[in-house]
Amino acid sequence: MRRVPEKLSWALFSIGVCELAERFSFYGATQVFTNFIAHPLPVVDGEVSNTGASKNAGHSSGALNQGSQTANALVTFNQFWCYITPLIGAFFADVYWGRYKALCVGVVFAMVGHILLVISAIPDVLTDSSGALGCFAVAIVIMGFGTGFFKSNCSVIIADQRKVQQLTVAKLKTGEKVIIDPALTNERLYLWFYLMINLGSFGGQLGMVYAEKYKGYWLAYLLPTLVFIIPIPVLWFGRNYYVKVPPTGSVLYQAICATSSAVKHNWTWNMKLFWRRARSKEFWDCVKPSNVPENERKKWMCYDDNWIDQLRRGIQVCAIFLLFPFYWICYNQILNNLILQADQMDLGGLPTEFVAVLDPLFIIVFVFILNMGFYPMLDRMKIPFTPIKRIVVGFIIASFAMTWSAVLQHYIYQTNDCGNNVGDHIIKNGIECKDTYSNLSVWVQAGSYILMALSELFASVTSMEIAVLMAPNNMRSTVMAISLFTTAFAAAINEAFSPLAQNPLFIVNYAVFAGLSFVAGILFWYMFRSIDRNQENLNLMSQDGYLDEVGYKPESNNKTMESEKPVTEEKSLSTEQA
């Protein structure tokens, strides 16, 4: 029978609207961070602009005058912080509050952070750059808490709203019987979810770069704050309609004890042998209560065999995320260094951040192409484009994006009067380099953003899909948080590479990241190709009752479900396990 995704409900759409508003606010504000930190208050018509707006003065907006390295360091810290706090948000969601309440707490934190951002950019505050910098630093810390609580739960709670959780046979109005496949639902769901993310990102980035340039930073921070009000009534209205998964209590201590005991029992200094044991079904048998005599069980063994199977699944998912930092270090370049690169080119009167809006714009375009053309075509041709393959392709395309940036940087150095000191605050050959730029149009940067946008739909979207697909229900927020934590780890790597974020080393900066992403993509395929060969088992992992390990044929994978009602009548759709 033909497999189809589940029809998306209004609950899914409303959560997507919340994500759109949050991303509008987050990216709208953070898009102008680099110029806000790096450049001084501009001089417009002979007077210092107390709002930071450069208007048509021919140079960048600015406020704090801390330089490019400080800007890169603070922006990178913000990325790190915003993606380490999801671990905290996931902990409170899974242990104490549940995902819905944790999501609401995230909204409160983020709103406070946004208000402090507005305060840091008030003209009277900007006259004291040290005070403005202090307020700005506190704002990004508090806003980071909000982002962490929001991101670790929003992308999971949207999957909780699916009505069909197992393979289900349903009859259409036409009389045709089809299989509603949760894995296919996840694939389509997260593409549309990513569309909402980038609609918000596109609107925020495009609007705020013009607000920054023509009105000042107070407006560039105020508008995202106002948009972030939207999730409050939406979440309040949906509180009685959303599926709310209750907290399951702390499993961290038991998970650590069980994992360490299994590792100790199977440990050998022969890494090849240990890796083989770790991937085997028998690795976890030593910590299953059914295999341990009652008088030898540890105090922490207050669980059943099913819980160990769930833990195994969660750890398998986390292993897939190990190489993702090498993808995110490429993505992070569009948030800082590519903005600095744009400032070294002929802007044609555009804000330096303007070309960056091509990333969300082309994601929006590519989502429709993939969802309505490319993926259905592959389905009809029966060509399996599995999550593992998609991630590998995403890594490789990200490498191409960085290669484009490195080559472009080379030509920037060749086409300006100061060579590899373009834009620096020095005098070279009698020329003020801070006023120089390449005669190359900033639109040449578009190639980097287009390639990165396409890579996100193959790598980033699929990482969210896998986090929900493979993780057991009681660990989904935690697994999603670990997935997001790879972005924080990438930010830490970027921090280590901060010395490369300056002239004349920008070419080396992009070339190193291109090489790391390419090698990581090849290594990813080598490590997880066995999962790719067992894609059906991977799909079944998201279904209740499926406990077997990826790479092993389950005893019974015949989990079809029968429905007497047509799929178009989803509210009355009844299911029972065959």
Side-chain angles (χ1 to χ4, degrees):
M1 289 178 284
R2 186 165 60 94
R3 297 195 180 197
V4 298
E6 174 188 339
K7 183 179 178 182
L8 304 185
S9 65
W10 74 267
L12 293 168
F13 176 76
S14 67
I15 294 172
V17 169
C18 293
E19 181 70 17
L20 183 153
E22 192 274 340
R23 291 291 88 181
F24 180 102
S25 304
F26 179 83
Y27 280 111
T30 58
Q31 181 70 6
V32 299
F33 278 2
T34 297
N35 282 346
F36 181 74
I37 301 166
H39 302 303
L41 290 168
V43 176
V44 181
D45 298 330
E47 296 184 0
V48 175
S49 170
N50 62 354
T51 64
S54 63
K55 299 184 179 179
N56 293 314
H59 45 73
S60 298
S61 301
L64 303 181
N65 194 27
Q66 299 297 310
S68 63
Q69 277 192 286
T70 301
N72 181 68
L74 281 175
V75 170
T76 301
F77 166 77
N78 182 60
Q79 295 163 9
F80 176 81
W81 180 240
C82 286
Y83 289 102
I84 197 173
T85 51
L87 293 171
I88 303 172
F91 175 79
F92 279 94
D94 286 342
V95 177
Y96 297 113
W97 297 337
R99 291 162 195 153
Y100 174 79
K101 186 174 181 180
L103 186 67
C104 294
V105 170
V107 170
V108 174
F109 268 114
M111 180 59 73
V112 173
H114 276 292
I115 291 172
L116 288 175
L117 275 183
V118 177
I119 293 174
S120 73
I122 293 174
D124 289 341
V125 177
L126 283 182
T127 56
D128 178 11
S129 61
S130 59
L133 179 61
C135 185
F136 175 81
V138 173
I140 63 175
V141 170
I142 295 177
M143 195 167 72
F145 271 113
T147 301
F149 276 79
F150 195 99
K151 290 297 292 179
S152 61
N153 292 290
C154 188
S155 51
V156 179
I157 199 173
I158 195 169
D160 292 338
Q161 310 310 309
R162 295 175 307 167
K163 297 178 182 178
V164 180
Q165 300 293 335
Q166 299 188 13
L167 288 176
T168 302
V169 175
K171 186 182 293 185
L172 301 176
K173 286 183 176 180
T174 60
E176 178 191 5
K177 283 190 175 183
V178 296
I179 297 174
I180 301 176
D181 189 345
L184 195 57
T185 302
N186 272 348
E187 180 184 300
R188 301 296 194 265
L189 168 64
Y190 280 105
L191 270 177
W192 290 121
F193 185 67
Y194 213 68
L195 172 68
M196 301 298 280
I197 289 174
N198 284 278
L199 283 172
S201 175
F202 175 72
Q205 292 182 49
L206 182 62
M208 296 322 106
V209 296
Y210 277 100
E212 166 209 51
K213 183 174 179 66
Y214 292 105
K215 292 297 181 181
Y217 287 99
W218 67 270
L219 184 62
Y221 293 150
L222 177 62
L223 292 177
T225 304
L226 296 177
V227 170
F228 199 66
I229 295 174
I230 293 175
I232 297 175
V234 172
L235 292 173
W236 174 261
F237 178 78
R239 71 192 187 283
N240 296 322
Y241 299 96
Y242 295 140
V243 175
K244 301 176 185 177
V245 177
T248 56
S250 178
V251 297
L252 184 60
Y253 175 72
Q254 291 172 303
I256 292 173
C257 290
T259 303
S260 60
S261 181
V263 169
K264 183 178 178 180
H265 184 270
N266 291 278
W267 177 255
T268 174
W269 288 104
N270 184 334
M271 289 295 102
K272 185 176 181 180
L273 177 59
F274 179 74
W275 178 251
R276 189 182 302 121
R277 288 178 181 177
R279 299 181 66 191
S280 71
K281 294 177 65 176
E282 293 75 24
F283 182 83
W284 296 93
D285 287 350
C286 61
V287 289
K288 286 187 174 182
S290 62
N291 296 328
V292 181
E294 189 169 349
N295 61 337
E296 296 180 13
R297 293 177 189 172
K298 307 293 184 181
K299 291 182 179 180
W300 45 265
M301 285 189 175
C302 48
Y303 50 72
D304 55 18
D305 289 3
N306 177 61
W307 188 86
I308 289 295
D309 289 321
Q310 291 182 329
L311 175 63
R312 183 177 69 226
R313 285 166 50 189
I315 291 177
Q316 287 168 346
V317 182
C318 296
I320 289 178
F321 300 139
L322 284 176
L323 293 173
F324 263 84
F326 298 105
Y327 170 79
W328 291 118
I329 58 176
C330 296
Y331 173 82
N332 288 345
Q333 301 307 298
I334 71 177
L335 304 176
N336 43 47
N337 287 330
L338 288 185
I339 294 175
L340 296 174
Q341 186 185 70
D343 200 34
Q344 299 172 349
M345 304 175 71
D346 182 4
L347 295 170
L350 296 172
T352 54
E353 304 94 342
F354 184 83
V355 182
V357 303
L358 291 178
D359 177 68
L361 175 62
F362 274 92
I363 284 176
I364 294 167
V365 174
F366 288 145
V367 164
F368 284 100
I369 293 174
L370 294 179
N371 244 341
M372 298 182 171
F374 184 67
Y375 286 148
M377 179 189 70
L378 293 182
D379 291 340
R380 288 193 300 271
M381 298 174 66
K382 298 184 179 180
I383 298 175
F385 194 31
T386 59
I388 299 301
K389 289 189 180 77
R390 277 181 267 152
I391 291 173
V392 171
V393 170
F395 273 73
I396 302 301
I397 295 177
S399 174
F400 293 162
M402 290 300 98
T403 302
W404 184 293
S405 299
V407 173
L408 176 58
Q409 189 68 48
H410 168 75
Y411 282 104
I412 289 173
Y413 287 157
Q414 297 296 314
T415 54
N416 76 92
D417 295 332
C418 279
N420 55 19
N421 290 115
V422 56
D424 290 345
H425 288 259
I426 65 171
I427 297 176
K428 186 175 182 179
N429 300 326
I431 300 173
E432 283 276 0
C433 291
K434 68 182 180 65
D435 296 324
T436 62
Y437 55 87
S438 168
N439 57 18
L440 293 173
S441 170
V442 72
W443 289 106
V444 182
Q445 267 196 325
S448 298
Y449 289 103
I450 293 171
L451 289 169
M452 189 55 67
L454 187 59
S455 77
E456 287 180 65
L457 293 177
F458 291 133
S460 179
V461 173
T462 308
S463 71
M464 291 191 294
E465 180 186 332
I466 284 182
V468 171
L469 185 69
M470 292 180 63
N473 189 50
N474 63 346
M475 298 175 67
R476 282 180 178 171
S477 287
T478 300
V479 171
M480 184 64 73
I482 292 173
S483 170
L484 294 170
F485 177 71
T486 61
T487 308
F489 193 71
I493 297 174
N494 278 122
E495 198 77 54
F497 281 97
S498 286
L500 297 181
Q502 59 182 326
N503 292 323
L505 301 175
F506 277 119
I507 296 176
V508 178
N509 179 79
Y510 300 128
V512 167
F513 293 153
L516 289 174
S517 182
F518 187 86
V519 172
I522 302 301
L523 186 58
F524 188 93
W525 172 253
Y526 177 78
M527 292 174 62
F528 301 111
R529 66 190 187 282
S530 61
I531 293 179
D532 187 74
R533 289 196 295 264
N534 294 274
Q535 180 58 37
E536 187 64 23
N537 290 356
L538 180 66
N539 293 346
L540 289 171
M541 271 195 153
S542 64
Q543 301 181 22
D544 296 336
Y546 181 81
L547 303 173
D548 211 343
E549 183 176 354
V550 172
Y552 290 90
K553 184 178 180 180
E555 294 179 4
S556 173
N557 60 3
N558 224 0
K559 290 184 176 288
T560 51
M561 312 276 289
E562 187 72 35
S563 171
E564 295 299 326
K565 298 290 184 180
V567 71
T568 50
E569 299 179 23
E570 288 186 28
K571 289 185 179 179
S572 59
L573 187 66
S574 62
T575 60
E576 62 181 26
Q577 189 165 357

